[in-house]
């Protein structure tokens, strides 16, 4: 289903399309976009709002220091592991229906986490939040791409969505500290419940229903192997971020994840109605678009992580001043979101993706000029401009991957987009961030991470440029 937001052409001007009109949202289209973006913003907040509150939360509920990581991992496991499965179920049985169920589950889980009385009840709430997020993210994205047609409308909608996604992460970091200091850690979870109470009543009367016209049988073996593989991979990488890669559980789950994902590929090549169409994965736009998305998310999350260490541990800035640095980053991301759709309309999503990756890599490389005793201004400017290019990459990779995909497979395509996003956020810090914390000097480790980060992004920009140049036009 699509929404036509342009006025009919008059006889005198037929054939002369007005680009401004094609980007103008009607009241109903704007309301649909508000509901979908508010839900995505709420999930983005959940990824970061709790981080600052972890020490206080652990002391209040009785978490041991080693167990505290599960407050984050309990959310990350289901939110990343079930994305593809729920994206496909939404294609088959109704995206609106599943989106509403995900919102209701997320809100109830947030209340459980808010009023948790011990570690077990809190972790149950976090896990159910993650499961709700795994429903909301792919169904919300597929509702967006099936509601807004390809072209300026979809570019603008994805631009707004991407901006709010980036702002959600940034605002969550700042808001988490303010709420924890003033109202206590429980207010961080209560805020998410309030958000749900605002969005959920609006959604049923606003969102259109959409699904594939036919209903093939769900690929159960594929669902089991891909979900199990992603769960194992995300567990291993999340745990490695805290304890390194030497633990037996990390190694075992890495091997198990690789084996399950390999089995998934074999199953999909033989199943008559696969969960993931391998021909879709062989599309250059899907393959190289998702590669760009994976790298931009993983490398930018690593930059934020190491700059947080640098600002507080090397320069000695307070948590408040560190939060203000990332607040500037959020403002600049919002500016980028307002410009991205215009850039994409002018040069196309594929070129925008390449340019954005190049810009992100260049400005991360400029951060190598940080000093051991000064550098807060350079850090603020560098991470803010790099984030502007990062947001351009987020929006353009989503457009690149979903362009030319039939509506019946949009849930699958957006499931791939959001799975790439989640895995990217998960793998960056354990793969590179550990280099900053295991050496003798933290400052030297930060510089090493920034150098590797910039090199990876720039190399990926070249790969994506070559790969997408050879891709056929949708």
């Amino acid at each position: 289903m699509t929404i036509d937001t342009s006025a009919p052409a008059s006889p005198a001007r037929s054939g002369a399309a007005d680009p401004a009109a094609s980007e103008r949202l009607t009241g109903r289209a704007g309301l649909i976009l508000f509901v979908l973006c508010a839900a995505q913003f709420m999930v983005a907040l959940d990824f970061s709002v709790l981080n600052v509150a972890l020490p206080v939360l652990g002391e209040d509920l009785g978490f041991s220091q080693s167990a505290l990581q599960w407050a984050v991992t309990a959310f990350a496991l289901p939110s990343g592991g079930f994305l593809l499965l729920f994206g496909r179920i939404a294609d088959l049985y109704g995206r609106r229906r599943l989106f509403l169920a995900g919102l209701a589950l997320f809100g109830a889980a947030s209340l459980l986490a808010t009023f948790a009385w011990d570690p077990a009840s809190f972790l149950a709430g976090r896990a159910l939040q993650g499961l709700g997020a795994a429903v909301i993210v792919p169904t919300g994205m597929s509702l967006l791409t099936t509601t807004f047609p390809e072209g300026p409308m979809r570019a603008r909608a994805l631009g707004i969505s991407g901006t709010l996604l980036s702002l959600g992460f940034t605002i969550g970091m700042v808001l988490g500290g303010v709420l924890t200091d003033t109202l206590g850690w429980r207010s961080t979870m209560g805020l998410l419940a309030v958000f749900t109470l605002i969005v959920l009543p609006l959604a049923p009367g606003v969102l259109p229903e959409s699904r594939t016209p036919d209903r093939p049988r769900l690929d159960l073996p594929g669902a089991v192997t891909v979900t199990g593989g992603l769960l194992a991979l995300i567990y291993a990488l999340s745990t490695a971020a805290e304890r390194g890669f030497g633990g037996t559980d990390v190694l075992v789950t890495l091997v198990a994840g690789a084996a399950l994902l390999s089995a998934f590929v074999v199953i999909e090549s033989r199943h008559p109605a696969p969960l993931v169409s391998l021909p879709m994965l062989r599309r250059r736009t899907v393959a190289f678009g998702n590669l760009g998305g994976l790298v931009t998310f993983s490398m930018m999350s690593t930059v934020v992580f190491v700059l947080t260490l640098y600002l507080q541990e090397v320069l000695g800035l307070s948590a408040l001043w560190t939060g203000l640095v990332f607040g500037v980053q959020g403002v600049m991301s919002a500016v980028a979101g307002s410009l991205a759709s215009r850039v994409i309309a002018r040069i196309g999503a594929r070129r925008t993706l390449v340019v954005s990756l190049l810009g992100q890599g260049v400005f991360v490389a400029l951060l190598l000029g940080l000093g051991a005793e000064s550098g807060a201004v350079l850090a603020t400017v560098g991470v803010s401009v790099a984030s502007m290019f990062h947001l351009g990459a987020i929006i353009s990779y989503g457009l690149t991957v979903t362009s030319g995909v039939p509506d019946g497979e949009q849930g699958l395509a957006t499931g791939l987009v959001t799975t790439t996003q989640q895995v990217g956020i998960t793998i960056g810090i354990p793969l590179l961030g550990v280099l900053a914390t295991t050496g003798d000097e933290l400052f030297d480790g930060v510089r090493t991470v920034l150098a590797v980060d910039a090199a990876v992004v720039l190399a990926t920009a070249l790969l994506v440029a070559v790969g997408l140049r050879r891709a056929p036009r949708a």
Side-chain angles (χ1 to χ4, degrees):
M1 176 180 178
T2 58
I3 294 176
D4 183 7
T5 59
S6 57
S10 64
R13 299 184 60 189
S14 61
D18 181 2
S22 65
E23 293 187 45
R24 194 172 297 122
L25 293 173
T26 64
R28 179 174 175 78
L31 196 54
I32 292 173
L33 188 59
F34 170 79
V35 169
L36 296 176
C37 288
Q40 300 281 0
F41 178 79
M42 177 180 68
V43 172
L45 271 181
D46 202 8
F47 277 105
S48 59
V49 73
L50 193 65
N51 290 348
V52 178
L54 287 178
V56 179
L57 179 155
E59 183 178 346
D60 185 32
L61 291 181
F63 277 95
S64 67
Q65 190 66 34
S66 60
L68 199 55
Q69 63 150 326
W70 280 99
V72 176
T73 304
F75 177 83
L77 279 171
S79 67
F82 289 93
L83 280 169
L84 275 177
L85 174 60
F86 284 126
R88 189 54 175 161
I89 290 175
D91 281 344
L92 301 179
Y93 300 104
R95 299 174 182 117
R96 172 180 171 275
R97 180 185 304 172
L98 206 61
F99 180 81
L100 296 176
L103 278 177
L105 176 60
F106 188 90
S110 298
L111 285 175
L112 175 58
T114 301
F115 296 107
W117 55 92
D118 61 10
S121 59
F122 180 77
L123 293 179
R126 289 292 284 163
L128 291 172
Q129 275 185 328
L131 198 62
V135 177
I136 292 169
V137 171
T139 54
M141 184 69 78
S142 58
L143 280 168
L144 187 150
T145 56
T146 54
T147 299
F148 296 94
E150 281 193 49
M153 281 294 296
R154 184 180 294 180
R156 185 180 182 194
L158 284 175
I160 295 171
S161 177
T163 300
L164 289 176
L165 179 70
S166 180
L167 283 174
F169 286 116
T170 304
I171 291 173
M173 293 174 62
V174 179
L175 195 58
V178 173
L179 288 175
T180 301
D181 285 344
T182 56
L183 300 176
W185 70 264
R186 294 180 187 274
S187 63
T188 63
M189 297 290 97
L191 175 67
L192 300 172
V194 172
F195 256 107
T196 309
L197 291 175
I198 294 172
V199 177
L200 185 56
L202 292 174
V206 170
L207 298 178
E209 183 58 282
S210 65
R211 62 170 67 89
T212 55
D214 55 342
R215 287 193 186 182
R217 290 173 55 190
L218 182 64
D219 173 16
L220 190 57
V224 171
T225 51
V226 73
T227 302
L230 288 172
L231 287 172
L233 177 66
I234 292 169
Y235 170 84
L237 294 173
S238 298
T239 305
E242 300 291 332
R243 303 201 313 255
F245 285 92
T248 302
D249 58 338
V250 173
L251 295 175
V252 168
T253 48
L254 273 177
V255 172
L260 286 168
L261 292 176
S262 298
F264 170 70
V265 173
V266 173
I267 290 169
E268 299 308 277
S269 66
R270 300 176 179 177
H271 200 282
L275 181 69
V276 173
S277 167
L278 294 184
M280 174 182 283
L281 292 179
R282 288 194 288 267
R283 288 175 183 244
R284 285 181 172 268
T285 51
V286 173
F288 286 97
N290 275 305
L291 173 63
L294 180 71
V295 169
T296 194
F297 272 111
S298 60
M299 295 299 102
M300 201 64 213
S301 65
T302 304
V303 169
V304 171
F305 172 74
V306 297
L307 283 184
T308 301
L309 294 177
Y310 168 76
L311 292 169
Q312 296 191 54
E313 302 297 331
V314 177
L315 297 186
L317 296 185
S318 67
L320 174 61
W321 280 105
T322 301
L324 290 176
V325 169
F326 293 111
V328 174
Q329 175 199 14
V331 171
M332 297 304 287
S333 295
V335 172
S338 67
L339 298 175
S341 61
R342 298 180 185 180
V343 175
I344 291 170
R346 182 177 294 273
I347 68 173
R350 300 181 189 184
R351 290 179 180 174
T352 303
L353 176 57
V354 173
V355 170
S356 297
L357 289 170
L358 286 172
Q360 180 179 330
V362 167
F363 278 90
V364 170
L366 289 177
L367 292 173
L368 292 172
L370 296 173
E373 297 182 356
S374 63
V377 173
L378 177 58
T380 303
V381 173
V383 75
S384 296
V385 180
S387 292
M388 293 180 73
F389 284 104
H390 166 63
L391 190 63
I394 291 175
I395 298 168
S396 54
Y397 107 87
L399 282 169
T400 299
V401 172
T402 58
S403 63
V405 176
D407 278 0
E409 294 184 341
Q410 280 293 333
L412 171 58
T414 55
L416 290 171
V417 168
T418 50
T419 300
T420 294
Q421 167 191 314
Q422 176 60 35
V423 173
I425 292 170
T426 302
I427 66 175
I429 294 173
L431 287 180
L432 288 186
V434 68
L435 297 175
T437 57
T438 55
D440 294 332
E441 295 290 337
L442 177 60
F443 177 64
D444 292 337
V446 168
R447 284 175 56 85
T448 299
V449 171
L450 291 173
V452 174
D453 190 293
V456 169
V457 176
L458 291 172
T460 302
L462 296 177
L463 282 174
V464 171
V466 173
L468 292 182
R469 176 176 292 180
R470 297 179 180 177
R473 295 289 170 184

mmCIF file of all heavy atoms in Angstrom, residues 276-303:
data_model
loop_
_atom_site.group_PDB
_atom_site.id
_atom_site.type_symbol
_atom_site.label_atom_id
_atom_site.label_comp_id
_atom_site.label_asym_id
_atom_site.label_seq_id
_atom_site.Cartn_x
_atom_site.Cartn_y
_atom_site.Cartn_z
ATOM 1 N N VAL A 276 14.978 -16.629 3.778
ATOM 2 C CA VAL A 276 15.783 -15.628 3.086
ATOM 3 C C VAL A 276 16.036 -16.107 1.667
ATOM 4 O O VAL A 276 16.551 -17.204 1.466
ATOM 5 C CB VAL A 276 17.129 -15.386 3.795
ATOM 6 C CG1 VAL A 276 18.011 -14.476 2.967
ATOM 7 C CG2 VAL A 276 16.909 -14.791 5.175
ATOM 8 N N SER A 277 15.645 -15.305 0.710
ATOM 9 C CA SER A 277 15.876 -15.651 -0.688
ATOM 10 C C SER A 277 17.349 -15.429 -1.027
ATOM 11 O O SER A 277 17.832 -14.297 -0.995
ATOM 12 C CB SER A 277 14.984 -14.777 -1.581
ATOM 13 O OG SER A 277 15.376 -14.875 -2.918
ATOM 14 N N LEU A 278 18.073 -16.517 -1.328
ATOM 15 C CA LEU A 278 19.489 -16.368 -1.663
ATOM 16 C C LEU A 278 19.708 -15.510 -2.905
ATOM 17 O O LEU A 278 20.690 -14.767 -2.969
ATOM 18 C CB LEU A 278 20.146 -17.744 -1.820
ATOM 19 C CG LEU A 278 20.226 -18.578 -0.536
ATOM 20 C CD1 LEU A 278 20.989 -19.871 -0.781
ATOM 21 C CD2 LEU A 278 20.875 -17.794 0.606
ATOM 22 N N PRO A 279 18.823 -15.589 -3.907
ATOM 23 C CA PRO A 279 18.983 -14.642 -5.016
ATOM 24 C C PRO A 279 18.942 -13.185 -4.558
ATOM 25 O O PRO A 279 19.628 -12.334 -5.112
ATOM 26 C CB PRO A 279 17.805 -14.974 -5.936
ATOM 27 C CG PRO A 279 17.549 -16.425 -5.682
ATOM 28 C CD PRO A 279 17.806 -16.617 -4.219
ATOM 29 N N MET A 280 18.129 -12.886 -3.520
ATOM 30 C CA MET A 280 18.117 -11.525 -3.003
ATOM 31 C C MET A 280 19.480 -11.169 -2.403
ATOM 32 O O MET A 280 20.002 -10.068 -2.616
ATOM 33 C CB MET A 280 17.027 -11.340 -1.937
ATOM 34 C CG MET A 280 17.082 -9.964 -1.268
ATOM 35 S SD MET A 280 15.851 -9.720 0.021
ATOM 36 C CE MET A 280 14.402 -9.449 -0.993
ATOM 37 N N LEU A 281 20.079 -12.097 -1.673
ATOM 38 C CA LEU A 281 21.384 -11.841 -1.077
ATOM 39 C C LEU A 281 22.466 -11.680 -2.136
ATOM 40 O O LEU A 281 23.506 -11.069 -1.879
ATOM 41 C CB LEU A 281 21.763 -12.977 -0.124
ATOM 42 C CG LEU A 281 20.926 -13.091 1.153
ATOM 43 C CD1 LEU A 281 21.400 -14.280 1.985
ATOM 44 C CD2 LEU A 281 21.012 -11.816 1.974
ATOM 45 N N ARG A 282 22.217 -12.247 -3.325
ATOM 46 C CA ARG A 282 23.200 -12.111 -4.397
ATOM 47 C C ARG A 282 23.039 -10.802 -5.168
ATOM 48 O O ARG A 282 23.876 -10.482 -6.019
ATOM 49 C CB ARG A 282 23.103 -13.309 -5.352
ATOM 50 C CG ARG A 282 23.644 -14.592 -4.749
ATOM 51 C CD ARG A 282 23.846 -15.660 -5.811
ATOM 52 N NE ARG A 282 22.582 -16.183 -6.295
ATOM 53 C CZ ARG A 282 21.984 -17.270 -5.799
ATOM 54 N NH1 ARG A 282 22.549 -17.926 -4.788
ATOM 55 N NH2 ARG A 282 20.839 -17.695 -6.292
ATOM 56 N N ARG A 283 21.957 -10.065 -4.903
ATOM 57 C CA ARG A 283 21.823 -8.740 -5.505
ATOM 58 C C ARG A 283 22.975 -7.864 -5.013
ATOM 59 O O ARG A 283 23.237 -7.781 -3.800
ATOM 60 C CB ARG A 283 20.514 -8.067 -5.067
ATOM 61 C CG ARG A 283 19.240 -8.621 -5.649
ATOM 62 C CD ARG A 283 18.089 -7.878 -4.989
ATOM 63 N NE ARG A 283 16.798 -8.356 -5.413
ATOM 64 C CZ ARG A 283 15.915 -7.627 -6.078
ATOM 65 N NH1 ARG A 283 16.207 -6.389 -6.397
ATOM 66 N NH2 ARG A 283 14.747 -8.136 -6.407
ATOM 67 N N ARG A 284 23.641 -7.195 -5.909
ATOM 68 C CA ARG A 284 24.748 -6.344 -5.484
ATOM 69 C C ARG A 284 24.278 -5.204 -4.584
ATOM 70 O O ARG A 284 24.989 -4.799 -3.656
ATOM 71 C CB ARG A 284 25.484 -5.782 -6.707
ATOM 72 C CG ARG A 284 26.374 -6.816 -7.393
ATOM 73 C CD ARG A 284 27.115 -6.215 -8.579
ATOM 74 N NE ARG A 284 28.088 -7.165 -9.096
ATOM 75 C CZ ARG A 284 29.360 -7.225 -8.717
ATOM 76 N NH1 ARG A 284 29.807 -6.371 -7.813
ATOM 77 N NH2 ARG A 284 30.189 -8.110 -9.209
ATOM 78 N N THR A 285 23.090 -4.681 -4.854
ATOM 79 C CA THR A 285 22.593 -3.598 -4.000
ATOM 80 C C THR A 285 22.377 -4.087 -2.571
ATOM 81 O O THR A 285 22.645 -3.360 -1.609
ATOM 82 C CB THR A 285 21.281 -3.035 -4.558
ATOM 83 O OG1 THR A 285 20.376 -4.120 -4.807
ATOM 84 C CG2 THR A 285 21.520 -2.267 -5.842
ATOM 85 N N VAL A 286 21.879 -5.316 -2.412
ATOM 86 C CA VAL A 286 21.651 -5.872 -1.077
ATOM 87 C C VAL A 286 22.974 -6.198 -0.408
ATOM 88 O O VAL A 286 23.220 -5.852 0.754
ATOM 89 C CB VAL A 286 20.754 -7.119 -1.162
ATOM 90 C CG1 VAL A 286 20.652 -7.801 0.205
ATOM 91 C CG2 VAL A 286 19.362 -6.751 -1.661
ATOM 92 N N ALA A 287 23.875 -6.881 -1.132
ATOM 93 C CA ALA A 287 25.144 -7.314 -0.552
ATOM 94 C C ALA A 287 26.026 -6.124 -0.172
ATOM 95 O O ALA A 287 26.483 -6.008 0.976
ATOM 96 C CB ALA A 287 25.877 -8.229 -1.525
ATOM 97 N N PHE A 288 26.261 -5.226 -1.119
ATOM 98 C CA PHE A 288 27.170 -4.115 -0.841
ATOM 99 C C PHE A 288 26.505 -3.021 -0.014
ATOM 100 O O PHE A 288 27.177 -2.312 0.748
ATOM 101 C CB PHE A 288 27.733 -3.558 -2.151
ATOM 102 C CG PHE A 288 28.767 -4.447 -2.768
ATOM 103 C CD1 PHE A 288 28.431 -5.342 -3.778
ATOM 104 C CD2 PHE A 288 30.082 -4.420 -2.321
ATOM 105 C CE1 PHE A 288 29.375 -6.178 -4.332
ATOM 106 C CE2 PHE A 288 31.040 -5.241 -2.878
ATOM 107 C CZ PHE A 288 30.697 -6.130 -3.882
ATOM 108 N N GLY A 289 25.180 -2.874 -0.144
ATOM 109 C CA GLY A 289 24.483 -1.932 0.719
ATOM 110 C C GLY A 289 24.582 -2.348 2.175
ATOM 111 O O GLY A 289 24.888 -1.537 3.055
ATOM 112 N N ASN A 290 24.348 -3.640 2.444
ATOM 113 C CA ASN A 290 24.443 -4.118 3.816
ATOM 114 C C ASN A 290 25.878 -4.099 4.328
ATOM 115 O O ASN A 290 26.110 -3.885 5.531
ATOM 116 C CB ASN A 290 23.858 -5.531 3.931
ATOM 117 C CG ASN A 290 22.353 -5.509 4.130
ATOM 118 O OD1 ASN A 290 21.848 -4.876 5.050
ATOM 119 N ND2 ASN A 290 21.626 -6.193 3.264
ATOM 120 N N LEU A 291 26.860 -4.329 3.446
ATOM 121 C CA LEU A 291 28.255 -4.207 3.865
ATOM 122 C C LEU A 291 28.539 -2.783 4.343
ATOM 123 O O LEU A 291 29.157 -2.579 5.400
ATOM 124 C CB LEU A 291 29.190 -4.565 2.708
ATOM 125 C CG LEU A 291 30.684 -4.325 2.964
ATOM 126 C CD1 LEU A 291 31.184 -5.199 4.112
ATOM 127 C CD2 LEU A 291 31.495 -4.576 1.694
ATOM 128 N N GLY A 292 28.083 -1.788 3.581
ATOM 129 C CA GLY A 292 28.261 -0.407 4.005
ATOM 130 C C GLY A 292 27.569 -0.124 5.325
ATOM 131 O O GLY A 292 28.124 0.553 6.201
ATOM 132 N N GLY A 293 26.356 -0.653 5.501
ATOM 133 C CA GLY A 293 25.636 -0.460 6.754
ATOM 134 C C GLY A 293 26.331 -1.111 7.935
ATOM 135 O O GLY A 293 26.432 -0.527 9.016
ATOM 136 N N LEU A 294 26.823 -2.344 7.741
ATOM 137 C CA LEU A 294 27.518 -3.053 8.808
ATOM 138 C C LEU A 294 28.741 -2.265 9.282
ATOM 139 O O LEU A 294 28.974 -2.108 10.487
ATOM 140 C CB LEU A 294 27.952 -4.432 8.309
ATOM 141 C CG LEU A 294 28.687 -5.310 9.317
ATOM 142 C CD1 LEU A 294 27.736 -5.801 10.400
ATOM 143 C CD2 LEU A 294 29.338 -6.506 8.616
ATOM 144 N N VAL A 295 29.501 -1.746 8.334
ATOM 145 C CA VAL A 295 30.732 -1.039 8.684
ATOM 146 C C VAL A 295 30.439 0.316 9.311
ATOM 147 O O VAL A 295 31.060 0.708 10.309
ATOM 148 C CB VAL A 295 31.641 -0.894 7.442
ATOM 149 C CG1 VAL A 295 32.789 0.068 7.716
ATOM 150 C CG2 VAL A 295 32.189 -2.255 7.037
ATOM 151 N N THR A 296 29.472 1.070 8.764
ATOM 152 C CA THR A 296 29.214 2.393 9.331
ATOM 153 C C THR A 296 28.712 2.290 10.762
ATOM 154 O O THR A 296 29.119 3.067 11.639
ATOM 155 C CB THR A 296 28.233 3.206 8.453
ATOM 156 O OG1 THR A 296 28.277 4.572 8.868
ATOM 157 C CG2 THR A 296 26.802 2.701 8.531
ATOM 158 N N PHE A 297 27.861 1.296 11.065
ATOM 159 C CA PHE A 297 27.372 1.133 12.438
ATOM 160 C C PHE A 297 28.470 0.636 13.368
ATOM 161 O O PHE A 297 28.665 1.176 14.468
ATOM 162 C CB PHE A 297 26.196 0.153 12.469
ATOM 163 C CG PHE A 297 24.863 0.803 12.241
ATOM 164 C CD1 PHE A 297 24.158 0.573 11.074
ATOM 165 C CD2 PHE A 297 24.299 1.644 13.186
ATOM 166 C CE1 PHE A 297 22.929 1.169 10.845
ATOM 167 C CE2 PHE A 297 23.069 2.246 12.975
ATOM 168 C CZ PHE A 297 22.382 2.010 11.803
ATOM 169 N N SER A 298 29.196 -0.411 12.969
ATOM 170 C CA SER A 298 30.190 -0.997 13.863
ATOM 171 C C SER A 298 31.332 -0.024 14.138
ATOM 172 O O SER A 298 31.786 0.116 15.281
ATOM 173 C CB SER A 298 30.732 -2.305 13.279
ATOM 174 O OG SER A 298 31.341 -2.091 12.014
ATOM 175 N N MET A 299 31.789 0.680 13.114
ATOM 176 C CA MET A 299 32.922 1.577 13.314
ATOM 177 C C MET A 299 32.532 2.851 14.061
ATOM 178 O O MET A 299 33.303 3.374 14.862
ATOM 179 C CB MET A 299 33.556 1.919 11.966
ATOM 180 C CG MET A 299 34.182 0.728 11.249
ATOM 181 S SD MET A 299 35.530 -0.079 12.164
ATOM 182 C CE MET A 299 34.689 -1.548 12.827
ATOM 183 N N MET A 300 31.312 3.371 13.850
ATOM 184 C CA MET A 300 30.919 4.583 14.565
ATOM 185 C C MET A 300 30.647 4.286 16.032
ATOM 186 O O MET A 300 30.980 5.104 16.910
ATOM 187 C CB MET A 300 29.679 5.201 13.917
ATOM 188 C CG MET A 300 29.491 6.679 14.251
ATOM 189 S SD MET A 300 30.867 7.671 13.592
ATOM 190 C CE MET A 300 30.966 8.939 14.830
ATOM 191 N N SER A 301 30.071 3.121 16.341
ATOM 192 C CA SER A 301 29.861 2.774 17.746
ATOM 193 C C SER A 301 31.199 2.637 18.466
ATOM 194 O O SER A 301 31.325 3.000 19.644
ATOM 195 C CB SER A 301 29.053 1.477 17.859
ATOM 196 O OG SER A 301 29.769 0.373 17.333
ATOM 197 N N THR A 302 32.219 2.153 17.756
ATOM 198 C CA THR A 302 33.546 2.034 18.352
ATOM 199 C C THR A 302 34.155 3.401 18.624
ATOM 200 O O THR A 302 34.784 3.617 19.669
ATOM 201 C CB THR A 302 34.476 1.231 17.420
ATOM 202 O OG1 THR A 302 33.876 -0.033 17.148
ATOM 203 C CG2 THR A 302 35.822 1.005 18.058
ATOM 204 N N VAL A 303 33.984 4.344 17.690
ATOM 205 C CA VAL A 303 34.501 5.700 17.888
ATOM 206 C C VAL A 303 33.879 6.333 19.133
ATOM 207 O O VAL A 303 34.578 6.940 19.959
ATOM 208 C CB VAL A 303 34.229 6.571 16.645
ATOM 209 C CG1 VAL A 303 34.526 8.041 16.938
ATOM 210 C CG2 VAL A 303 35.077 6.105 15.474
#
